[in-house]
Amino acid sequence: MSGGPGTQRVEEIERASGPPLHTPLPNTLPLCAEALEFDEDDDLEVFSKDTTLTDGNSFSSLIPTSPSSMTNQYKFEDEPDISDLFITVDDPESHITAIETFITYQVVTKTTRGEFDSSEYEVRRRYQDFLWLKSKLEESHPTLIIPELTSHKKQGPGFLERMGQSVRAVASSMRGVKNRPDDITVISDYVDIFNQKINALDKIAHRIYKEEKEYVEEMKEYGPIFTLWSASEEDLTASLKGIAGCIDKCCRATEQQMSGLSASLIPITHEYVLYSDMLTGVMKRRDQMQSELDGKVYAVANKKTDTERLKEEVGKLEDKVECANNALKADWDRWKQNMQNDMKSAFTTMAENNVNYYEECLATWESFLSSQTSELQAEEDPEQRL
């Protein structure tokens, strides 16, 4: 069996999950999407539900399941065509005790690997356990792109915190990182641009969805007006009812188009918003190692202290940075390929949904127009014959 990064990540996840919990937790309640926001410190995003493996409930029918890149299906180098380890995280529940309220998530592991005692494990873990696991994985593998959860606050940073972040960002850009390899600089620049674009795309997609939802609500009020009007206009009854029917069909088509948007583009953009934050952290940790190495090299060059000891430290840091760069580049190629495949799939699905939506609406109104034209011609024919 290969001992690559993927194997190490999976083994750490398994060790962190620990034995199953046999004692039921107190006052367990099913958790809906809205209930996730009851505590600012408990906000947690987990996108790793695979509906082909488990029938667990998702957060809400309004929250789409994650795309294929987040189903945690691991493949190993010695078995490239076999996915033999599946880990899903879903089914959040709220737990209320006398002293605290907290959330747990169901972690299900299914495997065909012989070194496991069972083919399936199921435990529940609190959000602190996931955050602990994330920090440990980042500590052990600082430049690997770990497909893990991202914690967040419901409200964004305050003014002073945003100002501090801006100052630190400007200082960092002016100071720069010495001796950064060109290929790592290319990755860093790509991450910066990707972060800006994916966040903008995510915000716009959510805004479009909100506007379409408001449009549908208006349409549901708009159509019945024509139906009510038809009761007092005998000569226009057929036309008014026809318009009401067209509006109703277009309203249903818009709802279906919204469903496609929430099931394809929105989840994939939001997933990669989380990834963009993760990538920024990876690059920051990599540059911190580079800065430490540069500082030691500078100290040796200026003979400010024990040069022999520093040279030994420099050698170790050079190996550490080289290993980090190699791990980053290897994981980067895998991540970038997955991202491009996910994006192409999401954009293709979005295009198909839009084509179907506009074709359906167009056909609806063309049918109405054709019927009205036929009636007008029938009314005009006697006069033309005279």
Side-chain angles (χ1 to χ4, degrees):
M1 182 183 68
S2 172
T7 305
Q8 296 174 354
R9 287 203 297 271
V10 171
E11 289 174 347
E12 293 203 30
I13 291 173
E14 285 301 301
R15 288 197 297 270
S17 296
L21 297 176
H22 299 291
T23 304
L25 292 165
N27 299 330
T28 300
L29 302 174
L31 188 66
C32 63
E34 291 78 8
L36 285 174
E37 301 199 11
F38 70 90
D39 188 338
E40 182 175 307
D41 292 332
D42 278 357
D43 286 344
L44 180 68
E45 301 196 33
V46 179
F47 292 87
S48 53
K49 173 166 173 55
D50 181 8
T51 54
T52 64
L53 297 175
T54 178
D55 294 327
N57 295 326
S58 61
F59 292 179
S60 165
S61 59
L62 297 178
I63 299 180
T65 57
S66 64
S68 61
S69 65
M70 292 298 286
T71 58
N72 292 341
Q73 303 180 21
Y74 288 93
K75 296 183 179 181
F76 301 105
E77 297 175 1
D78 54 346
E79 296 174 326
D81 298 325
I82 299 177
S83 293
D84 59 0
L85 184 59
F86 302 86
I87 302 173
T88 62
V89 181
D90 61 4
D91 191 20
E93 289 182 354
S94 173
H95 304 276
I96 302 175
T97 68
I99 60 174
E100 64 176 342
T101 300
F102 59 93
I103 301 172
T104 65
Y105 296 83
Q106 179 177 257
V107 182
V108 178
T109 301
K110 296 185 179 183
T111 182
T112 57
R113 296 173 63 181
E115 58 264 38
F116 287 85
D117 296 332
S118 176
S119 61
E120 183 173 344
Y121 297 88
E122 180 176 328
V123 297
R124 297 201 69 86
R125 289 290 181 260
R126 295 180 59 168
Y127 79 101
Q128 294 100 327
D129 298 325
F130 292 98
L131 295 178
W132 173 86
L133 174 60
K134 180 175 184 289
S135 66
K136 290 299 181 181
L137 291 175
E138 290 178 348
E139 181 182 336
S140 302
H141 313 286
T143 56
L144 290 184
I145 304 170
I146 302 170
E148 273 295 324
L149 57 89
T150 297
S151 61
H152 65 95
K153 301 292 185 181
K154 291 192 296 293
Q155 298 180 349
F159 173 76
L160 293 178
E161 184 177 351
R162 292 197 304 270
M163 179 65 71
Q165 291 174 349
S166 300
V167 171
R168 288 192 297 270
V170 171
S172 177
S173 63
M174 294 184 66
R175 182 173 62 251
V177 178
K178 298 179 181 179
N179 303 320
R180 178 196 277 167
D182 292 340
D183 49 359
I184 300 298
T185 298
V186 170
I187 294 177
S188 180
D189 293 342
Y190 185 100
V191 169
D192 290 340
I193 296 175
F194 179 81
N195 190 306
Q196 297 173 11
K197 302 304 181 185
I198 199 65
N199 275 277
L201 182 61
D202 182 59
K203 291 179 181 178
I204 293 172
H206 279 85
R207 187 163 65 243
I208 290 174
Y209 183 87
K210 180 181 178 182
E211 291 174 353
E212 288 188 347
K213 184 178 180 180
E214 294 173 350
Y215 172 68
V216 166
E217 291 173 353
E218 294 288 346
M219 292 271 280
K220 288 181 177 179
E221 296 180 7
Y222 185 47
I225 294 175
F226 289 92
T227 302
L228 294 174
W229 188 14
S230 67
S232 59
E233 292 284 353
E234 295 183 359
D235 295 337
L236 295 176
T237 297
S239 297
L240 292 172
K241 287 186 175 180
I243 292 176
C246 289
I247 293 174
D248 183 60
K249 289 181 180 179
C250 290
C251 183
R252 291 197 299 269
T254 304
E255 288 180 321
Q256 187 174 1
Q257 196 259 358
M258 288 172 56
S259 177
L261 182 64
S262 67
S264 57
L265 184 63
I266 288 179
I268 194 68
T269 56
H270 189 65
E271 174 187 328
Y272 281 99
V273 165
L274 302 181
Y275 259 125
S276 69
D277 293 338
M278 192 182 308
L279 289 169
T280 300
V282 167
M283 297 307 303
K284 184 181 296 183
R285 290 191 294 273
R286 185 266 158 209
D287 285 347
Q288 286 174 347
M289 287 188 284
Q290 181 74 58
S291 296
E292 184 180 1
L293 171 60
D294 291 343
K296 297 293 184 181
V297 171
Y298 177 81
V300 171
N302 288 271
K303 299 180 180 180
K304 292 184 177 180
T305 184
D306 184 358
T307 57
E308 292 301 323
R309 179 180 58 82
L310 282 177
K311 287 180 180 179
E312 182 178 353
E313 293 180 4
V314 166
K316 293 180 179 179
L317 286 173
E318 287 176 340
D319 292 340
K320 183 179 179 180
V321 171
E322 183 178 2
C323 289
N325 289 343
N326 292 336
L328 172 59
K329 288 185 287 186
D331 223 24
W332 172 257
D333 292 337
R334 174 198 58 78
W335 177 86
K336 191 175 181 181
Q337 183 62 52
N338 287 341
M339 181 273 293
Q340 292 174 346
N341 291 338
D342 284 340
M343 288 297 178
K344 288 179 182 178
S345 177
F347 294 154
T348 300
T349 301
M350 180 183 68
E352 292 174 348
N353 290 339
N354 283 335
V355 169
N356 294 335
Y357 166 70
Y358 289 112
E359 284 183 343
E360 184 175 352
C361 291
L362 179 61
T364 297
W365 287 107
E366 283 183 339
S367 177
F368 171 76
L369 180 61
S370 177
S371 66
Q372 295 300 298
T373 303
S374 299
E375 290 182 7
L376 289 174
Q377 290 177 347
E379 293 175 356
E380 293 175 357
D381 280 347
E383 297 180 1
Q384 292 176 353
R385 285 196 296 269
L386 291 176

